[in-house]
């Protein structure tokens, strides 16, 4: 049977040498050629017939299925026989068992051709079955590795989300199993590395290698180009800088050192620094502490006012209150969609929590002045979280928002900031005031001013480099500009129950 009439050329093998087919088969084990479908197609061509691979359930995996008896297929798949041959209707059929990564189940390789199977054709079928076993086993190993990587990535994200809502106890408990000692710290810095979305997985892997598992490296759930790194040490920060340097179109923004419970604040600082990094030669920047308006007011008065503003939330259970505050803090810094991705909840959940805070505080977050004022209160409250009780002013001290903002230092700061806009002949200051008054809506501001909406956007965009603050993106930078307008009386204070002292006690206790 093994005579010359079924030689290599007749079998479809390109090389007439005795080992040509084996060499071609081995090529399919190279990393670039590992494809079950391609191997089955090669086999069909090599034996000048048809071939297919069936999974343990009998479903077609690859190739063209020839007519064959199901009982014979079941017997091979079950291991009752290792292989089988059948002849009839002018066709010759060979079945070979292909072990799958999940024993005792096995697939079946079925090959059909018009000529009888000589020694060479039978060898090709047998060796191909072994190659398919190797490919299936390698594929399962790769898939298992990917599942493990996804699970680990999800766990890292879960830890970050716990930190974002100030649940450091649970975050440490989750991290302890895989990364012992990772969060055994009271303070940490947050860094955001920006690259391309296509290269982000590789970039995250390099961040993990650079920090040596001494940092929490997370794929940002909100921005596809970002990798978030929470690190307690300074060495890791230097490693991240060296990682960014040689890579094109890769940037690094870092926060100031913050208490671990203030991870959300640190994250906001890192994002702000990242915007600055785009204009730095070394493509890296760390958040620079500047004169924030809340630091220009009497600390005792600010604490008193903050306590009054947030008093309606005091009656809530501790967990609920912390959840609402953490969500609102992120929701004021970012869009509801991005805040939801960071927290791992739906955007409707974020909006529902913020609406509940709106109701409790008797205000609306569509008003930029209300957003700015509540933002100050939340940041002040967060800063007081670890302060001794004797440093927190009692709730009954009368103080109003106007009192807070009317001090000489505050007014001087506000005038110095907004007067920068006066040098532009387009009256950017007037446009910005109208845009803020209309809740950041360019169309409504344009109607108020009698100009085109695009003109409003261009004016606001032009004001950003002059004020050295991002306005269109919202968040802390915008709120500082809003507070400057309030301090100078260019905007009316928001309708908030605690903005006037001694008058809203009834509203506070509703």
């Amino acid at each position: 049977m093994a005579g010359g009439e079924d030689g290599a050329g007749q079998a479809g093998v390109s090389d007439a040498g005795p080992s040509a087919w084996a060499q071609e088969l081995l090529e399919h084990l190279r990393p670039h050629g590992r494809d079950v479908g391609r191997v089955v197609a090669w086999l069909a061509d090599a034996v000048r017939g048809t071939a297919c691979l069936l999974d343990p359930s009998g479903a077609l995996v690859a190739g063209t299925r020839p007519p064959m008896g199901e009982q014979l297929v079941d017997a091979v798949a079950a291991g009752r026989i290792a292989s089988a041959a059948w002849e009839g209707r002018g066709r010759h059929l060979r079945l070979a068992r292909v072990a799958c990564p999940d024993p005792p189940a096995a697939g079946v390789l079925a090959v059909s051709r018009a000529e009888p199977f000589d020694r060479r054709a039978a060898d090709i079928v047998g060796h191909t079955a072994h190659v398919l076993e190797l490919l299936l086993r390698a594929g399962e190993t790769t898939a298992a590795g990917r599942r493990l990587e996804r699970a680990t990535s999800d766990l890292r994200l879960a830890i970050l989300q716990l930190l974002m809502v100030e649940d450091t106890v649970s975050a440490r408990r989750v991290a302890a199993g895989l990364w012992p000692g990772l969060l055994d710290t009271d303070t940490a810095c947050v860094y955001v590395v920006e690259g391309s979305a296509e290269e982000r997985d590789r970039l995250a892997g390099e961040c993990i290698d650079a920090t040596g598992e001494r940092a929490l490296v997370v794929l940002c759930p909100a921005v596809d180009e970002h990798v978030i790194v929470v690190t307690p040490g300074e060495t890791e920060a230097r490693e991240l800088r060296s990682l960014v340097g040689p890579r094109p179109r890769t940037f690094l923004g870092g926060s100031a050192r913050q208490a671990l419970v203030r991870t959300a604040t640190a994250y906001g600082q890192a994002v702000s620094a990242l915007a600055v990094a785009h204009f730095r030669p070394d493509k890296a920047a760390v958040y620079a502490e500047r004169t924030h308006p809340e630091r220009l007011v009497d600390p005792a008065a600010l604490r008193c006012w903050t306590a009054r503003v947030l008093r309606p939330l005091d009656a809530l259970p501790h967990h609920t209150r912390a959840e609402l505050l953490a969500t609102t803090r992120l929701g004021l810094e970012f869009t509801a969609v991005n805040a939801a991705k960071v927290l791992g909840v739906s955007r409707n959940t974020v909006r529902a929590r913020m609406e509940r805070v709106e109701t409790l505080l008797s205000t609306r977050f569509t008003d930029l002045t209300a957003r700015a004022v509540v933002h100050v209160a939340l940041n002040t409250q967060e800063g007081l979280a670890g302060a001794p009780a004797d440093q927190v002013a009692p709730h009954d001290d009368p103080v109003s928002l106007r009192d807070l903002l009317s001090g000489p230092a505050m007014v001087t700061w506000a005038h110095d900031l907004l007067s920068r806009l006066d040098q532009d002949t387009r009256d950017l200051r007037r446009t910005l005031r109208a845009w803020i008054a209309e809740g950041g809506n360019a169309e409504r501001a344009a109607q108020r001013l009698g100009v085109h909406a695009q003109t409003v956007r261009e004016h606001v965009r032009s004001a950003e480099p002059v004020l050295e603050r991002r306005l269109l993106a919202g968040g802390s930078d915008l709120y500082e500009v809003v507070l400057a307008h309030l301090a100078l009386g260019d905007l009316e204070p928001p309708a908030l129950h605690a903005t006037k002292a001694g008058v809203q006690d009834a509203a506070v206790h509703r």
Side-chain angles (χ1 to χ4, degrees):
M1 287 178 60
E5 72 175 18
D6 196 43
Q10 190 173 358
V13 179
S14 58
D15 191 337
S19 63
W21 65 266
Q23 185 63 37
E24 289 190 11
L25 183 57
L26 288 175
E27 288 293 324
H28 291 284
L29 289 175
R30 295 183 181 274
H32 66 276
R34 294 176 181 175
D35 183 272
V36 170
R38 289 176 58 184
V39 173
V40 172
W42 174 87
L43 173 61
D45 182 63
V47 300
R48 298 183 64 84
T50 61
C52 75
L53 177 64
L54 308 178
D55 68 10
S57 68
L60 183 66
V61 175
T64 303
R65 180 169 184 157
M68 51 187 168
E70 295 300 328
Q71 291 182 346
L72 193 59
V73 173
D74 292 342
V76 174
R80 293 192 293 272
I81 53 177
S83 62
W86 178 84
E87 178 184 355
R89 300 178 183 177
R91 304 295 295 176
H92 296 266
L93 179 69
R94 281 290 178 100
L95 303 180
R97 190 171 186 267
V98 178
C100 292
D102 186 21
V108 175
L109 176 64
V111 185
S112 173
R113 63 183 225 153
E115 298 86 1
F117 283 83
D118 64 356
R119 179 66 175 270
R120 180 184 296 271
D123 284 347
I124 292 175
V125 173
H127 282 81
T128 301
H130 290 309
V131 167
L132 288 172
E133 289 180 355
L134 292 175
L135 291 180
L136 291 173
R137 192 174 298 120
E140 178 59 25
T141 301
T142 302
R146 289 173 180 168
R147 288 194 296 270
L148 179 60
E149 288 178 0
R150 285 197 298 269
T152 304
S153 179
D154 291 343
L155 186 59
R156 293 176 187 273
L157 176 58
I159 295 170
L160 176 66
Q161 289 168 341
L162 289 170
L163 292 176
M164 286 290 192
V165 295
E166 305 177 11
D167 191 352
T168 57
V169 174
S170 296
R172 288 189 175 105
R173 186 179 298 121
V174 173
L178 288 179
W179 304 284
L182 176 63
L183 298 180
D184 291 347
T185 178
D186 294 327
T187 63
C189 294
V190 174
Y191 289 86
V192 177
V193 187
E194 178 181 291
S196 66
E198 296 75 17
E199 293 290 325
R200 185 172 70 158
D201 288 344
R202 181 182 301 176
L203 180 60
E206 292 182 7
C207 289
I208 293 174
D209 292 339
T211 57
E213 296 285 359
R214 297 183 302 273
L216 179 67
V217 180
V218 181
L219 299 177
C220 178
V223 183
D224 292 340
E225 296 79 14
H226 288 183
V227 177
I228 302 171
V229 182
V230 182
T231 172
E234 299 295 336
T235 304
E236 293 74 28
R238 290 193 294 271
E239 294 295 335
L240 291 175
R241 281 181 174 270
S242 64
L243 180 65
V244 168
R247 296 180 66 103
R249 297 180 298 280
T250 305
F251 307 91
L252 175 68
S255 73
R257 181 164 292 278
Q258 298 285 354
L260 199 61
V261 74
R262 301 191 66 185
T263 300
T265 299
Y267 171 63
Q269 291 181 351
V271 172
S272 180
L274 183 64
V276 177
H278 280 260
F279 304 99
R280 293 282 183 86
D282 60 353
K283 301 180 297 181
V286 175
Y287 183 77
E289 291 288 352
R290 63 189 181 215
T291 304
H292 295 290
E294 58 266 30
R295 298 180 182 177
L296 301 174
V297 301
D298 177 22
L302 179 61
R303 290 194 291 267
C304 169
W305 173 83
T306 295
R308 291 178 61 82
V309 169
L310 301 180
R311 182 187 293 180
L313 283 78
D314 291 348
L316 298 173
H318 175 74
H319 175 74
T320 302
R321 184 179 187 273
E323 186 178 68
L324 292 180
L325 291 178
T327 301
T328 303
R329 192 176 294 115
L330 277 176
L332 292 177
E333 284 287 352
F334 308 101
T335 65
V337 173
N338 285 348
K341 291 178 179 178
V342 171
L343 292 172
V345 298
S346 71
R347 59 184 178 183
N348 289 335
T349 298
V350 171
R351 288 172 178 148
R353 291 175 183 174
M354 293 185 69
E355 286 173 1
R356 187 174 181 186
V357 173
E358 284 180 316
T359 301
L360 289 169
L361 301 185
S362 304
T363 192
R364 300 295 298 173
F365 289 147
T366 51
D367 182 352
L368 283 181
T369 60
R371 292 176 73 91
V373 168
V374 174
H375 183 264
V376 170
L378 291 177
N379 282 346
T380 303
Q381 182 272 340
E382 186 182 31
L384 292 174
D390 59 359
Q391 293 185 13
V392 181
H395 286 188
D396 296 331
D397 290 352
V399 64
S400 69
L401 177 63
R402 197 176 297 276
D403 292 336
L404 286 177
L405 303 181
S406 61
M410 184 70 176
V411 172
T412 299
W413 168 84
H415 180 269
D416 290 344
L417 177 64
L418 298 183
S419 63
R420 303 178 193 175
L421 302 172
D422 296 339
Q423 299 178 9
D424 196 300
T425 57
R426 293 174 295 176
D427 201 353
L428 300 182
R429 188 165 175 174
R430 173 173 174 264
T431 302
L432 184 57
R433 181 170 62 249
W435 180 74
I436 293 173
E438 294 297 340
N441 186 289
E443 285 75 14
R444 291 200 300 266
Q447 292 177 1
R448 172 185 286 207
L449 297 172
V451 298
H452 195 277
Q454 187 59 32
T455 301
V456 173
R457 296 188 187 97
E458 290 176 357
H459 284 195
V460 174
R461 194 174 292 110
S462 298
E464 289 185 323
V466 178
L467 299 175
E468 298 180 344
R469 284 161 174 81
R470 297 183 308 162
L471 302 177
L472 293 171
S476 300
D477 285 0
L478 173 59
Y479 301 147
E480 288 186 7
V481 176
V482 173
L483 290 175
H485 283 83
L486 290 173
L488 297 179
D490 291 346
L491 291 172
E492 288 297 318
L496 196 66
H497 70 86
T499 54
K500 294 181 180 180
V503 178
Q504 297 87 356
D505 284 336
V508 168
H509 293 287
R510 278 188 307 192

